[in-house]
């Protein structure tokens, strides 16, 4: 994607993840073997296509005197570059993305729909943490006492085994 038309000057150029491209190729053509050179070409074409659309969308955004590229700018870019055939698919994907975002927003408001103030939830959380710390401390204390008892028994056993006086 360099402006000189030649190969890129550095390896830091942004590209799509190869694993994603490979996955798409497998899904679209599961019975066809695709050479590594062809995979690389597909990767470069996809990257160039995205760059082209993004650049055109940026131009449209600037002409609209906006600072953020939105979906409508991308759709207009598809039309202006002669990719209008993709517009319906792009709009369908946009609707799917909006549905997923709306679902996430609904899920995030479940906490608010509980009817419990955030302060109360925080207090309950702190109580649970304190209880867990107390239980952990008790378990550690019990383990420590067991270790001390085991050491005491081992010490007593050692002194009995090494006792020089025999009272029998």
């Amino acid at each position: 994607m360099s402006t000189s038309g030649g190969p890129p000057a550095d390896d830091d150029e942004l590209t799509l993840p190869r694993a994603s491209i490979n996955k798409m190729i497998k899904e679209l053509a599961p019975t066809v073997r695709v050479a590594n050179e062809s995979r690389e070409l597909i990767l470069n074409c996809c990257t160039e296509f995205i760059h082209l659309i993004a650049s055109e969308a940026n131009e449209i955004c600037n002409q609209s005197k906006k600072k953020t590229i939105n979906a409508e700018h991308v759709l207009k870019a598809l039309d202006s570059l002669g990719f209008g055939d993709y517009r319906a698919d792009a709009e369908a994907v946009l609707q799917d993305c909006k549905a997923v975002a709306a679902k996430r927003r609904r899920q995030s408001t479940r906490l608010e729909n509980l009817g419990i103030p955030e302060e109360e939830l925080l207090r309950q959380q702190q109580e649970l943490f304190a209880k867990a710390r107390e239980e952990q401390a008790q378990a550690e204390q019990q383990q420590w006492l067991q270790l001390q008892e085991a050491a005491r028994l081992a010490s007593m056993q050692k002194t009995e085994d090494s006792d020089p006086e025999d009272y029998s």
Side-chain angles (χ1 to χ4, degrees):
M1 288 194 315
S2 64
T3 55
S4 64
D10 60 354
D11 291 334
D12 293 338
E13 184 174 333
L14 296 176
T15 63
L16 297 170
R18 281 180 171 65
S20 297
I21 296 296
N22 290 337
K23 183 178 176 187
M24 283 189 262
I25 291 170
K26 266 228 188 296
E27 287 175 2
L28 295 172
T31 60
V32 177
R33 291 186 60 196
V34 179
N36 286 338
E37 184 178 289
S38 298
R39 290 176 190 270
E40 189 69 25
L41 178 61
I42 292 169
L43 174 70
N44 290 336
C45 288
C46 290
T47 302
E48 188 61 33
F49 179 76
I50 291 169
H51 180 74
L52 181 68
I53 298 297
S55 296
E56 184 66 19
N58 185 44
E59 281 296 315
I60 293 169
C61 177
N62 288 338
Q63 290 170 1
S64 303
K65 295 184 179 16
K66 302 284 183 182
K67 294 189 182 229
T68 304
I69 298 173
N70 63 34
E72 193 56 40
H73 297 135
V74 175
L75 295 172
K76 285 180 182 177
L78 285 171
D79 289 335
S80 71
L81 291 170
F83 296 110
D85 295 346
Y86 295 107
R87 186 179 180 107
D89 290 333
E91 287 173 339
V93 169
L94 176 61
Q95 291 306 314
D96 290 345
C97 290
K98 286 181 178 181
V100 168
K103 183 178 178 182
R104 282 191 188 137
R105 280 193 301 274
R106 282 193 307 275
Q107 287 175 341
S108 71
T109 60
R110 284 184 184 165
L111 183 65
E112 296 152 7
N113 292 338
L114 287 175
I116 302 173
E118 191 173 338
E119 296 80 21
E120 175 62 18
L121 290 171
L122 184 59
R123 186 192 64 74
Q124 289 177 5
Q125 182 184 41
Q126 293 302 325
E127 283 179 9
L128 289 171
F129 285 157
K131 183 179 177 184
R133 280 192 295 271
E134 183 179 322
E135 289 173 359
Q136 181 66 28
Q138 287 176 353
E140 289 174 358
Q141 180 67 23
Q142 186 66 31
Q143 187 179 19
W144 173 251
L145 291 173
Q146 288 172 351
L147 285 173
Q148 283 185 329
E149 182 64 20
R152 187 183 68 76
L153 289 174
S155 175
M156 285 177 53
Q157 182 68 30
K158 194 175 190 182
T159 56
E160 286 178 5
D161 289 346
S162 63
D163 194 6
E165 295 180 27
D166 189 9
Y167 294 109
S168 30

